[in-house]
Amino acid sequence: MQDHRTGNGADPDLVTYELKGDVALVGLNRPEKRNAISDRFIEAIAVAVERAQSEAKAAVIFGHGNHFCAGLDLAEHVQKSPIEGVKGSRRWHAVFGEIEHGAIPWIAALHGAVVGGGLELASSAHIRVADETAFFALPEGQRGIFVGGGGSVRTARLMGAARMADMMLTGRVVSAEVGERWNLASYVVPAGTALDKAMELATAAASNAMLSNYAVIHALPRIQDMAKEDGLFVESFISAFTATSPEAEERLRAFLEKRAKRLEVPKGDA
Ligand code: 1HE
C-alpha cells in the first residue's frame, strides 16, 4: 500500500493520507493531544480533503491513537480574540462544508472521544461508523463556549435540537449504542473495527455511478430544506438527468441482461 503524505505547505505530520484503490484514507494524526484541532491542523485537513476530492471516489476519515478527535484545540483558543474566533469558526465551516458538499462521499470511522468539534467534523461526513469504544459529548457549555464547526446546523439535524440541547446543557456523555439510537452513527461495530467497516462502506459507495453519488450528497440535504412540492419537483429533474448518462444506461442494461450482481437479502442485522 502506498503511503502518500499531504503536502502543499500543510503539516504532513498532522494528517496522514493514503489512496487505497478508489478510496482515500485521511487520518487525524495528533494523538498526543487527542487529535484536538488547531489552526494548523484544520489547514492540513483542508489539503487532504482537496486531494481526496481530486483523485478518489470515496473517502474515510479516522483518528490515529485512542480517540477520533477531542474537538477544538482549547490551548490555542484561549488566546484568541473574538474576531479571531469568528474567523476560525468560518474556516472550519468552509473545510467541513467541502466534506459535506464536495464531490465524493465521506465515511467517518469513530472510536474513543468524538467530542465537541470532533463530533462536528464527524457530522459533516455522509455516514458515521462507531466502534464500541466511541463516546459522544458536547462540553462547550462546561468550557464557556459554543459550537463553532457547524454543529448547531449539522449535528442538531442529525439528532434533533432537543437532544443536542440536553448534551450541551448537562454535559451528558453518550455511548456508541445510544449514539446509534440518536442517529449520530449508522453502524456500531466491535472495538477496533470501525476503520475496516468504514473502508468496506467506502469501497461500496465508490463503485456507484459518481453522478448518483453526487446527487445524493448535494440533493438530499437541499431537498430536506425545501417545501414538499418544491422537493418533489427538483427530485424529478435530478432523477431524469442522472438516468440520461451513458453510465446509467450501461448499468441499467447490465441489470436487464443479468450481468449485474443481485441484491443480497439480509440474513440478520444489516
Ligand atoms: C487537548 C484537548 C483539547 C486533550 N484541546 N488540548 N474538547 C473538550 O473539552 C475535550 C477535552 N478533552 C478531554 O476531555 C480528554 O482529553 C479526553 C477525554 C478526550 C481524553 O482524555 P485522556 O485522559 O486520554 O487525555 P488527557 O490527559 O486529558 O489529554 C492528553 C493531552 O491532550 C493533554 O495535554 P498535555 O500537554 O497535558 O499532555 C491535554 O491537554 C490535551 N488535550 N483535549 C487542547 N480539546 C469549533 S468549536 C468546537 C468547540 C469544542 O470542540 S469544545 C470541546 C473541546
Side-chain angles (χ1 to χ4, degrees), residues 41-126:
F41 201 171
I42 197 78
E43 296 312 324
I45 295 171
V47 171
V49 169
E50 196 183 324
R51 182 164 178 185
Q53 317 263 24
S54 73
E55 63 185 11
K57 291 187 175 168
V60 170
I61 188 160
F62 68 99
H64 291 281
N66 293 332
H67 302 278
F68 175 70
C69 175
L72 178 69
D73 185 324
L74 299 172
E76 190 176 76
H77 196 69
V78 74
Q79 300 171 29
K80 285 193 172 173
S81 67
I83 187 63
E84 286 169 338
V86 171
K87 286 180 178 171
S89 166
R90 295 300 291 158
R91 184 66 186 135
W92 282 43
H93 290 166
V95 176
F96 294 179
E98 270 302 301
I99 295 174
E100 186 187 19
H101 290 304
I104 57 173
W106 284 80
I107 325 290
L110 308 175
H111 74 299
V114 186
V115 169
L119 178 51
E120 295 180 288
L121 170 57
S123 300
S124 67
H126 304 100

Side-chain angles (χ1 to χ4, degrees), residues 26-49:
V26 174
L28 307 175
N29 194 23
R30 200 190 178 202
E32 71 285 1
K33 295 289 181 188
R34 308 312 183 244
N35 294 325
I37 302 176
S38 61
D39 289 348
R40 279 168 53 195
F41 201 171
I42 197 78
E43 296 312 324
I45 295 171
V47 171
V49 169

Side-chain angles (χ1 to χ4, degrees), residues 164-194:
M164 184 156 166
D166 177 3
M167 288 177 77
M168 292 192 72
L169 292 173
T170 67
R172 184 170 178 175
V173 180
V174 169
S175 67
E177 193 183 75
V178 173
E180 185 193 20
R181 283 211 304 273
W182 287 13
N183 204 30
L184 294 177
S186 300
Y187 300 82
V188 178
V189 295
T193 66

Side-chain angles (χ1 to χ4, degrees), residues 238-256:
I238 294 175
S239 170
F241 177 71
T242 51
T244 58
S245 75
E247 186 175 359
E249 189 184 340
E250 161 50 24
R251 284 169 180 257
L252 293 170
R253 286 201 191 290
F255 175 80
L256 296 171

Side-chain angles (χ1 to χ4, degrees), residues 22-23 56-59 99-107 126-127 201-222 238 242 245 247 251:
D22 285 330
V23 178
K57 291 187 175 168
I99 295 174
E100 186 187 19
H101 290 304
I104 57 173
W106 284 80
I107 325 290
H126 304 100
I127 303 173
L201 299 173
T203 304
S207 73
N208 292 340
M210 281 192 84
L211 189 58
S212 298
N213 282 351
Y214 198 92
V216 170
I217 292 167
H218 288 266
L220 282 186
R222 287 186 170 85
I238 294 175
T242 51
S245 75
E247 186 175 359
R251 284 169 180 257

